[in-house]
């Protein structure tokens, strides 16, 4: 089981990296965009969701902001803090990147039958829930977009 999970992680990461590279971003920028597609988040929330130290997150946001894909927004609850949200260009990119990456990851299990795919999804979902993994990648269609502009 351990070997299977570790190897599956490498497989999914490779697909994610390839998809990101084809869109001119890093896989970390792709993860950031996918998290932000639901709504803007504060830096503390993003740090926890992405599992990054504050300095690493700041660098990631800075680079992604320089590329015109995210922007810092006033935090409506705390004037000292900021939220990070998608720009129009970031929204356009994630609207293509996200479903395409989902499709590619879904294709990894093409050799499985419908019942096997359902069982695998249920088991992995349970492992994720029991380990309280933050919601960083949603099922296609499972989100409501909140515009930042």
């Amino acid at each position: 089981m351990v070997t299977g999970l570790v190897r599956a992680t490498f497989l999914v990461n490779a697909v994610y990296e390839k998809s990101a590279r084809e869109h001119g971003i890093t896989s970390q920028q792709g993860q950031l965009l996918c998290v932000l597609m639901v709504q803007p988040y504060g830096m503390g929330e993003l740090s926890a969701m992405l599992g990054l130290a504050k300095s690493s997150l700041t660098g990631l946001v800075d680079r992604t902001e320089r590329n015109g894909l995210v922007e810092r927004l006033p935090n409506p609850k705390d004037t000292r803090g900021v939220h990070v949200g998608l720009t129009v260009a970031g929204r356009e990119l994630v609207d293509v990147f996200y479903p395409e990456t989902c499709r590619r990851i879904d294709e990894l299990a093409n050799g499985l039958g419908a019942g096997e795919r359902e069982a695998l999804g249920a088991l992995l979902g349970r492992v994720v829930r029991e380990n309280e993994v933050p919601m960083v990648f949603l099922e296609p269609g499972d989100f409501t977009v909140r515009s930042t502009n």
Side-chain angles (χ1 to χ4, degrees):
M1 191 248 350
V2 172
T3 302
L5 283 175
V6 170
R7 292 176 78 186
T9 299
F10 278 98
L11 184 61
V12 169
N13 285 341
V15 169
Y16 207 89
E17 181 66 39
K18 180 179 180 191
S19 186
R21 188 172 43 252
E22 289 175 1
H23 289 281
I25 58 176
T26 66
S27 60
Q28 293 82 14
Q29 288 173 325
Q31 290 171 353
L32 177 63
L33 297 179
C34 288
V35 167
L36 294 174
M37 70 185 180
V38 178
Q39 67 181 41
Y41 287 103
M43 294 292 279
E45 294 169 301
L46 287 172
S47 178
M49 293 174 86
L50 296 171
L52 294 174
K54 187 176 179 182
S55 60
S56 297
L57 177 64
T58 299
L60 173 61
V61 170
D62 287 347
R63 289 186 301 277
T64 311
E65 186 175 37
R66 277 194 302 271
N67 290 341
L69 302 174
V70 299
E71 61 187 343
R72 287 176 167 87
L73 305 163
N75 182 336
K77 296 179 183 175
D78 181 0
T79 57
R80 297 168 296 161
V82 297
H83 278 173
V84 179
L86 296 173
T87 62
V88 172
R91 166 68 53 206
E92 290 171 355
L93 178 58
V94 81
D95 284 348
V96 175
F97 173 79
Y98 176 75
E100 183 177 303
T101 303
C102 286
R103 178 190 55 76
R104 289 175 175 184
I105 292 171
D106 186 63
E107 288 174 352
L108 295 174
N110 277 350
L112 301 178
E116 291 171 313
R117 290 171 69 92
E118 187 174 320
L120 178 61
L123 290 170
L124 290 173
R126 182 174 164 194
V127 169
V128 165
R129 280 189 308 279
E130 289 177 356
N131 286 279
E132 299 176 3
V133 176
M135 188 65 70
V136 294
F137 206 85
L138 304 173
E139 291 287 334
D142 278 0
F143 63 92
T144 304
V145 174
R146 279 184 37 186
S147 176
T148 62
N149 297 8

